[in-house]
Amino acid sequence: MKILIKNAQIVNEGKIIQSDILIENDLISKISENIPEENVDQIIEASGKYLLPGIIDDQVHFREPGLTHKGDIESESRSAVAGGTTSFIEQPNTVPNAVTQELLADKYEIASQKSFANYGFMMGGTNDNLEEVLKTNPRNVPGIKLFLGSSTGNMLVDNPETLENIFSNTKMLIAVHCEDEATIRENTEKYKAEYGDDIPVKFHHLIRSEEACYKSSSKAIELAKKTGARLHVFHLSTAIETELLRNDIPLKDKKITAEVCVHHLTFTNEDYETKGGLIKWNPAVKTQKDKDGLWEALLDGRIDVIATDHAPHTWEEKQNVYTKCPSGAPLVQHSLVVMLENYVNGKITLEKIVEKMAHNPAILFRIEKRGFIREGYKADLVLVDLNQKWTVEKGNILYKCGWSPLEGMNFNSKVTHTFVNGNLVYDNGKINEQKFGERLLFEVQE
């Protein structure tokens, strides 16, 4: 199968150039101006549109197995490709938790039959599964996930000896959710004493506080420095945590890296007034000062990756009182257009969006032949129109849960085409249901 994309504005490796791209089977075979149109199976005219490497989301929760009333690999990967995300890394807090090699293999088997995007699944660490963790194959598993604060599907790792053992004994990337459990419990009890279970959600960022985040992330970073482990800190939510990070080392050589999520770049605690539990996340959306600090660190290189922490819950679940309202929300269909809106508003360049959402996840996780528009690389590509206005509403939301915290928001940009391994899986609102993604592979360095 040969597909020719004509006259695209290609955003790649810090530049924007107008060029054609020839896709042959699953690979980008040629990048050049005026590629001949003979002997191709399909031509896509891309004049006026921008072609980006497919987005790589390094943190999603697609809820399968065990929580499929919220979402599943088929439904959430469908929404992913509709939003330009061609590869995802999913987390282990499904039911059962992916904390043995057999359970991890089960998730890969499910994805091979129903994921429209490329997929990788994190191995979960617990207080007592070090032996299983050390069996993990770095060639086809992206890393080890540790919850240093409890969240949906409690996998809390709070034994200091266990943590040091994991950090000391694996060469794989260790990704961490950092919130200090003791601080959160103390804060929760304080507010429960006043309000019972119906705590106003506006206090969420004071319960899952700046102190809780900084205490945990600073300990994790200190342990990584002590042991030499490769540490990736998920979903930073405070300005003060960014002071722990460096921007004077090339990403490929960094041992300690960090991610920020779209919602922490978009909302602040002021939005609890109108959005309520719909924007209840762990870690919490915090203040305007924190949002500004995260943006600053993202742009100056201290924060390496933009992701979603896509975590669907049903509408009914999110209507519960505070202590019974689960944290998390769906975002993977809309992450790219949110960032493109920030481009339209002059906050970030297209080149920087591509760096943080495609290039850097590929470098950081050492993903083989993805994340860049290069000849010989997998043809994971997304075509966007920066002049197509639309509004997020129930009728165009693809998440299984059927809602979005962005409902009613207007966008100036739209994803028109998404290619996964050379297959056109999304074309102006239509999903090609005959094509599935592949298991991600990772380059192993001794």
Side-chain angles (χ1 to χ4, degrees):
M1 183 71 174
K2 292 185 179 181
I3 301 174
L4 179 59
I5 304 173
K6 296 285 293 181
N7 303 311
Q9 297 291 323
I10 299 173
V11 187
N12 186 57
E13 301 189 68
K15 297 177 182 176
I16 301 177
I17 62 166
Q18 182 168 314
S19 185
D20 300 346
I21 284 191
L22 181 64
I23 299 169
E24 292 192 57
N25 298 318
D26 60 337
L27 301 177
I28 298 168
S29 66
K30 192 170 186 180
I31 305 169
S32 180
E33 294 183 34
N34 302 313
I35 296 175
E37 298 182 8
E38 293 81 23
N39 302 315
V40 299
D41 299 286
Q42 184 177 3
I43 297 172
I44 295 175
E45 178 53 56
S47 295
K49 294 181 181 179
Y50 288 80
L51 188 70
L52 321 179
I55 302 309
I56 301 172
D57 194 331
D58 78 348
Q59 190 192 179
V60 303
H61 303 265
F62 280 1
R63 304 304 194 199
E64 190 169 8
L67 299 166
T68 53
H69 66 289
K70 303 172 188 282
D72 56 55
I73 289 172
E74 181 178 9
S75 65
E76 306 315 284
S77 67
R78 180 189 300 268
S79 62
V81 297
T85 293
T86 57
S87 298
F88 63 84
I89 294 175
E90 211 258 0
Q91 304 307 302
N93 55 332
T94 41
V95 178
N97 301 149
V99 295
T100 70
Q101 296 303 316
E102 291 75 19
L103 291 169
L104 188 61
D106 289 346
K107 293 179 74 168
Y108 275 106
E109 179 59 27
I110 295 168
S112 71
Q113 299 175 34
K114 60 194 300 189
S115 179
F116 295 110
N118 305 310
Y119 48 89
F121 294 94
M122 285 274 192
M123 175 65 179
T126 71
N127 278 328
D128 54 12
N129 78 331
L130 178 61
E131 189 174 322
E132 283 293 306
V133 166
L134 295 180
K135 293 178 187 174
T136 307
N137 183 354
R139 175 69 176 142
N140 58 21
V141 177
I144 312 302
K145 171 68 178 287
L146 303 178
F147 288 88
L148 307 188
S150 60
S151 194
T152 301
N154 195 348
M155 290 178 60
L156 180 65
V157 182
D158 57 359
N159 183 314
E161 187 177 338
T162 297
L163 280 173
E164 184 149 353
N165 275 336
I166 294 173
F167 274 63
S168 299
N169 288 294
T170 181
K171 292 182 179 179
M172 294 185 70
L173 179 142
I174 300 168
V176 288
H177 173 131
C178 287
E179 292 182 286
D180 182 68
E181 191 67 14
T183 302
I184 293 167
R185 286 176 181 164
E186 183 179 333
N187 291 339
T188 301
E189 289 309 310
K190 171 186 157 187
Y191 283 95
K192 279 187 77 172
E194 184 171 355
Y195 295 101
D197 284 334
D198 198 9
I199 301 168
V201 72
K202 67 180 180 180
F203 295 124
H204 186 53
H205 74 293
L206 301 177
I207 293 172
R208 293 201 168 242
S209 63
E210 174 189 77
E211 178 193 7
C213 293
Y214 183 81
K215 186 179 288 189
S216 181
S217 54
S218 59
K219 281 182 181 177
I221 288 170
E222 184 181 343
L223 185 56
K225 288 177 178 177
K226 175 183 176 182
T227 59
R230 287 176 62 209
L231 178 70
H232 186 47
V233 184
F234 274 157
H235 44 41
L236 289 187
S237 64
T238 70
I240 192 170
E241 287 172 286
T242 68
E243 297 173 10
L244 298 167
L245 304 169
R246 296 176 62 176
N247 61 359
D248 58 343
I249 306 170
L251 179 56
K252 65 181 178 62
D253 299 324
K254 272 189 179 183
K255 282 290 195 79
I256 297 168
T257 53
E259 165 208 281
V260 66
C261 289
V262 170
H263 48 280
H264 290 121
L265 298 173
T266 303
F267 298 107
T268 71
N269 63 299
E270 298 295 325
D271 295 304
Y272 289 127
E273 190 67 34
T274 55
K275 298 286 185 179
L278 298 184
I279 63 165
K280 183 181 182 229
W281 276 282
N282 299 339
V285 167
K286 295 188 173 66
T287 66
Q288 184 66 47
K289 177 185 175 185
D290 290 307
K291 178 180 167 183
D292 292 344
L294 293 169
W295 268 105
E296 182 181 339
L298 176 70
L299 296 175
D300 73 19
R302 283 173 289 156
I303 293 177
D304 308 287
V305 168
I306 299 169
T308 63
D309 193 16
H310 173 87
H313 298 284
T314 67
W315 178 261
E316 291 73 22
E317 287 168 334
K318 292 295 270 184
Q319 306 312 304
N320 285 327
V321 296
Y322 177 84
T323 57
K324 294 180 173 62
C325 173
S327 292
L331 275 175
V332 75
Q333 185 183 344
H334 302 105
S335 57
L336 178 55
V337 292
V338 169
M339 295 313 299
L340 291 174
E341 201 65 19
N342 283 298
Y343 160 71
V344 170
N345 294 330
K347 206 164 181 71
I348 190 170
T349 65
L350 291 176
E351 298 93 324
K352 188 65 72 174
I353 291 171
V354 165
E355 176 190 322
K356 301 294 184 177
M357 299 184 82
H359 299 341
N360 283 4
I363 295 169
L364 196 156
F365 285 88
R366 300 170 181 168
I367 301 172
E368 188 172 271
K369 289 189 174 181
R370 302 188 194 274
F372 295 84
I373 299 178
R374 294 173 177 168
E375 292 179 358
Y377 268 53
K378 293 284 189 175
D380 295 342
L381 303 165
V382 55
L383 199 58
V384 297
D385 186 340
L386 299 185
N387 296 293
Q388 197 172 146
K389 296 181 186 297
W390 65 291
T391 303
V392 178
E393 52 194 23
K394 288 271 190 261
N396 55 36
I397 292 170
L398 298 185
Y399 310 128
K400 189 173 186 177
C401 65
W403 64 273
S404 165
L406 305 175
E407 276 176 63
M409 192 173 289
N410 299 313
F411 290 103
N412 289 285
S413 304
K414 200 166 194 178
V415 172
T416 62
H417 300 74
T418 304
F419 298 84
V420 178
N421 306 309
N423 298 308
L424 181 55
V425 296
Y426 179 79
D427 183 356
N428 288 292
K430 295 180 181 177
I431 301 283
N432 178 354
E433 300 195 351
Q434 307 306 310
K435 301 294 183 182
F436 296 111
E438 298 176 350
R439 183 171 185 160
L440 297 173
L441 295 176
F442 308 91
E443 296 169 357
V444 180
Q445 297 180 7
E446 295 303 323

